[in-house]
Amino acid sequence: MGSTDEGPTPDPSFAGETALITGTARGIGRACAVRFAERGATVVGGDRLDQSETAATCADLPGAFEPVAADVTDPAAVEALVERAADTGRVDAVVNVAGIVAREPLATHDGEPWERSVAVNLTAPFRIAREAAPHLRETGGAVVNVSSIYGQIGAAERAGYVSTKAGLEGLTRALAAELGEDGVRANAVAPGFIETPMTEPYAEDGAARERFRELAALGRLGEPSEVASVVTFLASDDASFVTGETVLVDGGRATVE
Ligand code: NAP
């Protein structure tokens, strides 16, 4: 369903809507921007990297892409990003994708990776959701946070990442509780190993790549578009009675032996 010999059937289900997405320069955030634009949304994308590639990819799609230079740890930049999205007339979806993973062995790290992880992976999504909430209440919109399987299982030398992703899933449930009566939903996705610039170092290491491949029941690594399609599902009316949920997008990595 959904495609013909001529290619994908156009799906204009987000036409006239606006999605605010972070981390749109590359990886999963970029795939989300493309998926929302394919469905007709105007995407306001925040990233601290150059977003010209995303803009070029979106240029031929039914929706529009508007890049905003924003470090999500900067409160003023977050305010400007949300304002830019609201300037389109409405905010229907907020997708918190920007995130970092830092190696921090307990014996040697000085606390800086922990602080940075909290700032990017947890405080920024909270601040963005808080700033965007009045606009989402007007549209009955949705928040989708990008967590990780490491929000649910532990990993050595990743205290900041594991803790902030678990916290992000808690934040998702708190937002669902607080905004639900106004018709605003909040959900999360928890990807497994997805091939992006973030995971390039592991993907280039043949042994590590093989190990991650074997850990997934589907026997392969994931693509950014496979996360983006679940994100758009959760933001769409197809998920109209789903809130407070975290959906694993991990090829069976965390739940299947
Ligand atoms: P990525 O390739 O590193 O892309 C993340 C994007 O977010 C980059 O453009 C990055 O820019 C940007 N970003 C980081 N910190 C930012 C900040 N302070 N302000 C604005 N933009 C910022 O990562 P990805 O693999 O697509 O991951 C996206 C999300 O999925 C993350 O939250 C990650 O934890 C999660 N995730 C990924 C995987 C995976 O296997 N790839 C698995 C589970 C969860 P910079 O390069 O400048 O930092």
Side-chain angles (χ1 to χ4, degrees):
M1 277 174 64
S3 60
T4 66
D5 288 347
E6 288 85 45
T9 308
D11 170 6
S13 50
F14 292 148
E17 299 190 358
T18 298
L20 186 168
I21 308 176
T22 65
T24 41
R26 59 189 207 180
I28 293 169
R30 183 174 170 199
C32 288
V34 169
R35 187 59 68 123
F36 274 87
E38 277 172 352
R39 292 177 67 164
T42 294
V43 176
V44 175
D47 205 301
R48 56 184 181 186
L49 297 177
D50 171 43
Q51 301 190 66
S52 50
E53 258 187 67
T54 311
T57 310
C58 291
D60 295 329
L61 298 177
F65 178 74
E66 299 187 18
V68 176
D71 182 329
V72 295
T73 62
D74 173 0
V78 163
E79 225 172 275
L81 178 64
V82 173
E83 255 172 47
R84 181 66 205 95
D87 281 350
T88 65
R90 53 188 297 144
V91 181
D92 299 274
V94 167
V95 186
N96 285 303
V97 188
I100 55 164
V101 60
R103 191 177 198 93
E104 46 181 336
L106 292 179
T108 54
H109 85 88
D110 61 1
E112 194 275 336
W114 171 274
E115 302 291 344
R116 210 157 22 97
S117 299
V118 171
V120 180
N121 298 352
L122 192 53
T123 305
F126 166 68
R127 203 173 266 143
I128 291 167
R130 188 184 60 193
E131 294 294 323
H135 306 292
L136 292 170
R137 283 187 161 110
E138 281 175 22
T139 56
V143 176
V144 184
N145 292 321
V146 178
S147 177
S148 164
I149 52 166
Y150 294 121
Q152 311 196 0
I153 60 179
E157 302 182 356
R158 300 284 188 281
Y161 194 65
V162 168
S163 306
T164 54
K165 291 301 188 181
L168 185 60
E169 293 178 20
L171 172 66
T172 303
R173 291 188 287 273
L175 293 172
E178 190 157 342
L179 300 173
E181 285 202 347
D182 294 318
V184 177
R185 297 177 300 104
N187 291 290
V189 295
F193 193 109
I194 309 298
E195 294 201 79
T196 70
M198 180 187 269
T199 51
E200 241 165 47
Y202 305 98
E204 280 165 5
D205 169 348
R209 188 189 176 88
E210 187 56 18
R211 194 168 67 82
F212 285 119
R213 199 184 61 70
E214 276 175 5
L215 283 168
L218 292 179
R220 65 176 177 83
L221 310 181
E223 295 292 329
S225 63
E226 295 179 290
V227 179
S229 57
V230 181
V231 169
T232 47
F233 162 69
L234 289 170
S236 77
D237 288 344
D238 286 343
S240 56
F241 204 50
V242 182
T243 196
E245 185 60 78
T246 297
V247 180
L248 285 163
V249 187
D250 69 342
R253 156 75 172 84
T255 47
V256 180
E257 194 171 68

